[in-house]
Amino acid sequence: MLKHLFKLIWNKKKQNSLLIVEILLSFMVMFAVFAFAVNSYQNYVKPIGIKYEHVWVINYNNTLKTQNSDSLTMFYEGLLRNIKAMPQVVDAGFSSTNVPFSSAHMSGGITVNGKRITYVNQFNVDDNYLNTLGATMLEGRWYNKQDGISKEKVTVINNTLKEKAFGKGSAVGKYFNDYDNKFKIKVIGVVNDIKFDGDYQTVGLSQYNRFDTSAYHWLQRILVKVQPNADAAFESRLYKFMANQMKNSNIEIEHLPNKLVAYNKFTLVPLIILSIVAAFLIINVALGIFGVLWYNINKRRGEIGLRRAIGASGSSVSSQLVSEALILATFSLIIGTFFAVQFPLLNVFDLSAGVYLTAIGFALIFIYFIVLVCSLYPGKQAAAIYPAVALHEE
């Protein structure tokens, strides 16, 4: 029976070639959709790494007329003390512009045992950063005031960078060089992974550097952890305080929960667009399969009638048409799977092999399901053809 089906399909290879190409394209699009979705889901179920629910971000620009470093240091340290002294503030600290869930990014590289590691996210922070965001130290310690006077350059890295640079062992006390091999940096701590790019993005390599007093010239963010009962009235008082302290400065207060929601929506836009494209393509393929099978039934009414006349049952006729459609789909999926397995082999887009293999499995099941559904009704119609009517028409 299978040999007979292959022969029928081969004899109509020109008619079936377009359908095979349509199914192949549908499989590749669905593979991309499922790969995106599986990767996003795996990232979503991982903890975000910080307690962001009651953290605000004060955005400002330095409009102070003085450029003296000591004066700026005294001003900003006093500003931070006054903010922390407010009754509804738990903690506060300065940060570079790449605060959590923002579009700002700063990246660099490091050199470990002669091997260069690129695309390391660089964060310039102060001693209060860890407690303000509620992150957790996995090894070693966070920064303190003694690090400001130390002659040795020290840093804190996240767990992902630690595993890439030093493996599963401890990284505390180990050294790496900057990207250009100009100076050594000592690791004093490893912090838990933080998803700065929202729920659906992969955790990147991160390095947290303690800024020196010269950074007050360009720092423009203050992270403020507030009490759960902090309301709009307190936000208004905080805004007025900042506006009075920093004349002519553009002050804006953002809430990290709102920034996370906005960033998540931005992240999901490509998946939504890809899903819409996939939906239109799947509809076209479904209509194509349905149309081809319907056309085959009308063209093969004599063949079907003859088969019924010599004793073939309606279910056998129906299963033949359904089997032909599934075999056509199999030809397409074999080709599509060959191309899809190249993604994990070549490590395309730096995703894990499990993501690609899961996406291949989902895409195969989905395409087979579509083909099966679209072929059942034409197969049922073929089974309902009466032998006498079909032979009389011939």
Side-chain angles (χ1 to χ4, degrees):
M1 179 63 180
L2 190 61
K3 182 179 179 181
H4 176 68
L5 291 177
F6 276 108
K7 187 175 181 180
L8 290 174
I9 293 172
W10 178 256
N11 291 336
K12 299 178 181 179
K13 52 184 177 293
K14 291 185 178 179
Q15 299 176 12
N16 295 325
S17 59
L18 181 59
L19 186 60
I20 291 175
V21 172
E22 288 182 352
I23 296 176
L24 172 62
L25 292 177
S26 298
F27 170 78
M28 296 306 297
V29 172
M30 293 311 303
F31 166 69
V33 171
F34 282 121
F36 200 135
V38 170
N39 182 61
S40 298
Y41 175 76
Q42 289 185 354
N43 292 330
Y44 179 79
V45 297
K46 294 178 182 177
I48 202 162
I50 57 174
K51 299 175 182 178
Y52 63 91
E53 292 83 0
H54 305 292
V55 179
W56 298 354
V57 182
I58 302 177
N59 303 283
Y60 66 91
N61 58 307
N62 186 359
T63 57
L64 301 179
K65 295 182 179 180
T66 179
Q67 294 297 316
N68 183 273
S69 296
D70 293 335
S71 298
L72 285 176
T73 300
M74 292 178 60
F75 174 81
Y76 281 112
E77 287 182 350
L79 178 69
L80 190 62
R81 283 196 301 269
N82 289 329
I83 292 176
K84 294 171 70 173
M86 292 182 174
Q88 290 179 295
V89 173
V90 178
D91 208 341
F94 289 97
S95 170
S96 49
T97 55
N98 51 346
V99 296
F101 323 135
S102 67
S103 57
H105 292 82
M106 295 189 296
S107 63
I110 64 173
T111 304
V112 183
N113 298 324
K115 177 184 176 182
R116 288 183 171 180
I117 300 176
T118 57
Y119 301 109
V120 178
N121 295 311
Q122 302 290 326
F123 299 90
N124 294 288
V125 299
D126 66 3
D127 300 343
N128 306 302
Y129 187 85
L130 184 75
N131 292 331
T132 302
L133 287 181
T136 304
M137 294 299 300
L138 302 180
E139 297 179 25
R141 63 174 178 86
W142 189 253
Y143 295 111
N144 55 41
K145 291 184 179 180
Q146 297 301 318
D147 296 317
I149 59 176
S150 174
K151 294 182 179 179
E152 194 173 35
K153 190 172 182 62
V154 296
T155 190
V156 175
I157 60 178
N158 74 337
N159 190 57
T160 299
L161 179 56
K162 184 213 79 168
E163 292 183 353
K164 188 175 183 64
F166 304 106
K168 297 293 184 179
S170 176
V172 176
K174 294 183 178 179
Y175 292 82
F176 60 79
N177 293 350
D178 68 309
Y179 192 74
D180 296 323
N181 279 318
K182 292 183 178 180
F183 48 83
K184 285 187 175 182
I185 306 172
K186 180 181 179 181
V187 178
I188 62 170
V190 178
V191 71
N192 66 294
D193 290 332
I194 301 173
K195 295 194 292 187
F196 284 91
D197 292 327
D199 286 317
Y200 303 103
Q201 294 284 2
T202 304
V203 174
L205 310 174
S206 298
Q207 179 182 355
Y208 302 87
N209 304 304
R210 187 181 190 272
F211 63 78
D212 54 28
T213 55
S214 63
Y216 288 119
H217 289 277
W218 53 266
L219 285 175
Q220 297 181 342
R221 300 290 187 273
I222 300 177
L223 293 170
V224 181
K225 185 176 183 179
V226 299
Q227 297 284 357
N229 61 350
D231 53 10
F234 172 71
E235 183 176 348
S236 177
R237 292 198 301 272
L238 180 60
Y239 178 86
K240 290 179 180 178
F241 169 77
M242 289 294 300
N244 290 331
Q245 293 293 314
M246 305 186 70
K247 304 293 184 181
N248 302 320
S249 179
N250 297 319
I251 307 297
E252 182 184 6
I253 299 178
E254 298 178 294
H255 298 191
L256 283 190
N258 296 337
K259 290 177 69 66
L260 175 60
V261 171
Y263 204 98
N264 284 342
K265 290 180 179 179
F266 176 77
T267 304
L268 290 176
V269 167
L271 180 59
I272 295 173
I273 294 175
L274 194 58
S275 299
I276 293 174
V277 173
F280 278 110
L281 188 57
I282 290 300
I283 291 173
N284 288 333
V285 170
L287 292 175
I289 295 172
F290 191 86
V292 167
L293 294 178
W294 191 272
Y295 175 78
N296 286 341
I297 291 173
N298 291 327
K299 294 286 290 184
R300 298 163 63 182
R301 289 180 68 86
E303 173 194 336
I304 295 172
L306 182 59
R307 287 196 61 197
R308 292 298 307 276
I310 62 177
S313 63
S315 59
S316 65
V317 173
S318 177
S319 62
Q320 176 187 340
L321 293 175
V322 174
S323 299
E324 288 182 15
L326 293 177
I327 290 173
L328 284 174
T330 302
F331 285 151
S332 300
L333 296 178
I334 289 174
I335 300 172
T337 303
F338 171 78
F339 288 108
V341 295
Q342 305 306 312
F343 283 75
L345 294 177
L346 299 176
N347 196 26
V348 180
F349 303 125
D350 201 26
L351 298 180
S352 66
V355 170
Y356 289 122
L357 296 178
T358 304
I360 291 173
F362 280 133
L364 288 172
I365 294 172
F366 185 83
I367 295 299
Y368 271 127
F369 174 76
I370 291 295
V371 172
L372 180 63
V373 169
C374 294
S375 60
L376 284 177
Y377 184 74
K380 183 180 178 181
Q381 292 297 106
I385 296 176
Y386 291 101
V389 176
L391 294 175
H392 177 72
E393 291 176 354
E394 290 294 318

